[in-house]
Amino acid sequence: MLYAIISTDIENSMLLRQQARPMHLERLQALKSEGRLILAGPHPAVDSDDPGEAGFSGSLVIAEFNSQDAAQAWADDDPYVEAGVYANVTVKPFKKVLP
């Protein structure tokens, strides 16, 4: 089943994001290689593809997992969690309807 992992950043998270980003992307690439990643990306803090110093306000990952517990465990092990980037992370089932 698909799950949405919705994360909200702490204030001024950019430096922490930059430090943990390579490990964060490595995990996402692994999901992609396994054919389980539907989409992933950050939420710009301002209405721009390149938010510059404004940074990001959070992230969204939609991927396939065997259970919500498995999705939660994957989210809990994210390098951004360990680095303190996220203030909170919500994991919930997702049903893709379109496209």
Side-chain angles (χ1 to χ4, degrees):
M1 179 164 188
L2 296 179
Y3 294 89
I5 301 170
I6 307 155
S7 306
T8 304
D9 282 22
I10 63 166
E11 294 277 330
N12 302 311
S13 63
M14 199 59 165
L15 180 60
L16 295 174
R17 271 183 169 271
Q18 290 170 340
Q19 293 170 347
R21 189 168 190 262
M23 293 176 292
H24 173 77
L25 292 178
E26 186 176 304
R27 295 178 79 236
L28 290 170
Q29 286 293 341
L31 281 180
K32 181 181 175 188
S33 295
E34 296 166 4
R36 298 170 41 205
L37 182 65
I38 303 304
L39 66 86
H43 301 286
V46 295
D47 190 10
S48 173
D49 284 339
D50 182 4
E53 290 185 25
F56 300 96
S57 63
S59 300
L60 172 65
V61 174
I62 299 179
E64 184 177 346
F65 292 92
N66 289 330
S67 67
Q68 188 163 352
D69 287 342
Q72 185 69 58
W74 187 91
D76 290 344
D77 286 340
D78 193 301
Y80 281 176
V81 170
E82 184 177 329
V85 171
Y86 295 147
N88 67 341
V89 177
T90 302
V91 176
K92 51 179 147 178
F94 179 81
K95 181 177 177 179
K96 182 179 176 187
V97 174
L98 293 171

